[in-house]
Amino acid sequence: MTKRRAPSYRTRPNAQHRHTASEPRNAGAPGLSGTAFGIVIGSLGLRVSNTMVMANIAYTMLILLTGTIVSRATRPTWMSAIGGVLPLTHATEAVRASSAGIDLAVVLGHVGEELAVGLFYALLAAALLKYFEWTSRRGASLDAV
């Protein structure tokens, strides 16, 4: 009697499967930018007493301005300009371009823009944390509330 192997639920690569930027294995760029943006908001919490208000404003901005719900092309230009410097905007465009079958170079361009936004927020977060640490040590207080 031969043993039956349990069914495998893992996907097996085949010749027809093409990896795209929308797959989870390429989640580094939005992960970096979102995390760095969160650290910026969190570092501002060292100086502001009610961080939940800031977090809610940031969350609402991300929902309205990044293009995850409404495409950036259909919004006013000032909203698209603000959305261009927020995390997830270019990652959303990369996923949409990949889903539409647009050339990989265009998708990677959006991913590169998302990495640049993430790097900007990472540098801003590091600078804010360093500044707040310096002012806290100088003033002998952790918060300025």
Side-chain angles (χ1 to χ4, degrees):
M1 185 170 188
T2 61
K3 284 186 168 182
R4 283 186 80 186
R5 290 178 35 187
S8 174
Y9 295 105
R10 296 179 58 197
T11 58
R12 292 191 169 93
N14 58 31
Q16 297 171 350
H17 181 71
R18 212 178 84 193
H19 291 291
T20 61
S22 62
E23 293 181 354
R25 67 185 185 94
N26 293 326
L32 169 71
S33 62
T35 300
F37 184 72
I39 293 172
V40 168
I41 299 299
S43 68
L44 293 175
L46 293 172
R47 293 292 181 236
V48 178
S49 63
N50 196 349
T51 58
M52 292 309 296
V53 171
M54 285 190 321
N56 285 333
I57 290 171
Y59 177 70
T60 303
M61 282 178 32
L62 288 175
I63 288 176
L64 295 176
L65 301 175
T66 59
T68 53
I69 296 175
V70 179
S71 175
R72 287 180 69 196
T74 61
R75 294 181 307 192
T77 55
W78 65 271
M79 289 178 88
S80 292
I82 294 171
V85 296
L86 290 175
L88 303 178
T89 301
H90 303 290
T92 302
E93 289 178 358
V95 169
R96 285 191 176 147
S98 176
S99 298
I102 296 177
D103 188 32
L104 184 62
V106 175
V107 174
L108 291 177
H110 291 305
V111 172
E113 290 173 342
E114 187 69 23
L115 282 172
V117 169
L119 183 62
F120 166 73
Y121 280 111
L123 292 174
L124 180 62
L128 283 173
L129 287 171
K130 189 69 174 170
Y131 173 74
F132 292 148
E133 177 192 12
W134 177 73
T135 56
S136 294
R137 289 182 188 272
R138 189 181 52 143
S141 67
L142 181 60
D143 55 2
V145 179

